[in-house]
Amino acid sequence: MKYLLITFLLVISLCSCEQKAEFIARDFKSVDVETILEDSLLSVRAIEILNDKSLAFAGNNGTFGLYNPNTKMWQTSVQQYDSLNLHFRAVAHTATDFFMLSIENPALLYKTGDDGRMELVYKETTEGVFYDAMTFWNNAEGIAVGDSVNGCLSIIITRDGGQTWNKVSCEELPQAEEGEGAFAASNTNIAVIGDKAWVATTRGNVYFTEDKGKTWIVTKTPVIQDAETEGIYSIAFYDENVGYAIGGDFTKPDANKANKIKTVDGGKTWNIVADEQVPGYRSCVQFLPKREGKELVAVGFKGIDYSKDGGESWAHLSDESFYTIRFINDSIAYAGGTKRIAKLTFKE
């Protein structure tokens, strides 16, 4: 009996220790901005934190580069193709390679080559081609999305680590609305979790696949979409259920009606949140890692905003201008914008 009692007490003790602590959202009040790359001709809308925590980017004028946070040193270069002035607004990475994809025609997709130079692995010259975002599900399978051509979104997929890319036929995709595409504003038109992907468009639609691009369905969201410059600019998912999207109109950046939407059922339904509240137009929204989907940051050329309640309300932290942001951990991030890339540290 004595031994049974001891065992019982041990079990109770172990169970009580394993109880999950109550989550308490932080209340960030400010953000420190440290510029780590400055160039008067630079415009950066696409950055990636690689597996070794280094930072890669590609931008305008064919410029791309890599930052080592340990040495605080940059390696930058310019990608040449004939006499074209290339502009990159989509980048991605696997465990071994970095990828960058140019806008406009011709669309040129490069990956890290065996000799260290960038190698052209996909080229498209279709009239109207314009790619906006790119990401990978895993080290083998990746996706890039562009504006509609011939009645459907342009979607290319790789299944061999980015060595070859194939365009999805319009027969396999939902019909696009007239002029539908994606905003090449921050390389965050695509969110991936597991085998799933959500693609946000200029028409306020969210395209969804649960099998890494083999089949697709589309959902119309209530985000504002009364003008060509309105729609969803950025989409993020914390897990398979909780997602957030933000947009508005970059020509009317203070307008904040119906520009923020949220889902808790994996994108089946979307609801407007923080309506007619700050922020207005923002080009990028991201969940902070390991914060239970409660904490988000949005950036745009009108500043930086923070939410501690899952995007239901927001606080304006800074007027510092950026296009895109990626988090290293739950309080430090890199951000790209006009003339610079910076390291951001969020503080309570």
Side-chain angles (χ1 to χ4, degrees):
M1 188 68 174
K2 177 181 177 182
Y3 295 109
L4 287 174
L5 179 59
I6 292 172
T7 302
F8 175 77
L9 291 173
L10 283 171
V11 170
I12 293 296
S13 176
L14 287 170
C15 289
S16 63
C17 289
E18 292 175 359
Q19 286 182 352
K20 189 175 182 181
E22 179 185 0
F23 176 80
I24 300 175
R26 297 165 298 178
D27 191 11
F28 288 134
K29 299 294 187 183
S30 64
V31 54
D32 287 348
V33 178
E34 176 193 356
T35 298
I36 58 175
L37 179 66
E38 194 167 18
D39 185 329
S40 62
L41 301 178
L42 191 63
S43 178
V44 177
R45 294 179 180 270
I47 59 177
E48 280 282 288
I49 298 173
L50 307 184
N51 289 12
D52 63 358
K53 304 303 180 183
S54 59
L55 174 69
F57 83 93
N60 62 325
N61 300 322
T63 307
F64 65 99
L66 181 69
Y67 175 70
N68 184 327
N70 297 318
T71 63
K72 297 186 177 181
M73 298 292 291
W74 281 97
Q75 292 178 298
T76 61
S77 186
V78 174
Q79 185 62 49
Q80 304 283 350
Y81 186 86
D82 293 339
S83 59
L84 297 178
N85 182 14
L86 301 179
H87 294 270
F88 297 102
R89 297 191 182 183
V91 299
H93 79 283
T94 62
T96 56
D97 291 301
F98 173 68
F99 299 81
M100 56 190 194
L101 174 59
S102 67
I103 59 172
E104 300 178 322
N105 188 350
L108 304 171
L109 199 165
Y110 293 89
K111 72 176 285 290
T112 311
D114 293 336
D115 62 356
R117 299 179 184 179
M118 299 303 288
E119 171 191 356
L120 183 65
V121 291
Y122 180 81
K123 177 182 177 181
E124 186 177 339
T125 57
T126 308
E127 183 179 354
V129 64
F130 194 111
Y131 280 95
D132 307 284
M134 176 170 53
T135 192
F136 274 75
W137 283 285
N138 52 51
N139 288 327
E141 295 165 295
I143 178 174
V145 173
D147 295 352
S148 59
V149 174
N150 298 325
C152 71
L153 287 186
S154 295
I155 296 180
I156 57 174
I157 290 177
T158 180
R159 309 283 185 193
D160 61 3
Q163 192 62 48
T164 60
W165 296 76
N166 296 295
K167 191 163 187 177
V168 179
S169 166
C170 282
E171 296 177 356
E172 302 175 60
L173 291 168
Q175 183 176 353
E177 294 186 30
E178 183 68 27
E180 187 171 20
F183 292 111
S186 61
N187 194 39
T188 53
N189 305 111
I190 313 168
V192 297
I193 298 285
D195 293 346
K196 300 179 178 181
W198 298 262
V199 174
T201 79
T202 59
R203 296 300 188 192
N205 292 322
V206 173
Y207 286 66
F208 172 68
T209 176
E210 60 182 359
D211 52 17
K212 290 182 285 192
K214 295 182 177 69
T215 60
W216 293 87
I217 60 172
V218 62
T219 299
K220 171 67 73 174
T221 79
V223 78
I224 192 166
Q225 202 283 300
D226 297 331
E228 287 187 358
T229 49
E230 293 174 338
I232 303 173
Y233 279 75
S234 179
I235 188 169
F237 270 76
Y238 183 77
D239 55 29
E240 292 189 348
N241 295 311
V242 179
Y244 204 90
I246 198 166
D249 187 341
F250 77 90
T251 68
K252 301 173 183 176
D254 293 325
N256 52 25
K257 182 174 178 58
N259 74 315
K260 300 173 285 291
I261 55 174
K262 182 178 181 178
T263 181
V264 294
D265 59 10
K268 296 182 179 68
T269 59
W270 294 84
N271 296 302
I272 294 171
V273 291
D275 197 22
E276 299 189 72
Q277 300 176 32
V278 295
Y281 163 78
R282 293 293 181 266
S283 54
C284 184
V285 65
Q286 294 283 280
F287 285 96
L288 278 71
K290 299 180 180 179
R291 300 304 297 170
E292 299 196 5
K294 300 296 184 184
E295 299 181 13
L296 301 97
V297 164
V299 301
F301 64 81
K302 294 282 282 187
I304 305 168
D305 300 85
Y306 169 70
S307 175
K308 63 179 182 179
D309 58 8
E312 298 288 339
S313 65
W314 292 80
H316 186 66
L317 297 186
S318 171
D319 291 334
E320 295 274 3
S321 172
F322 294 101
Y323 296 135
T324 191
I325 186 170
R326 295 293 185 279
F327 278 88
I328 305 169
N329 55 38
D330 66 6
S331 58
I332 300 175
Y334 292 118
T338 300
K339 302 179 182 180
R340 64 174 173 168
I341 296 175
K343 182 179 179 181
L344 309 186
T345 302
F346 292 82
K347 294 186 173 181
E348 295 185 74

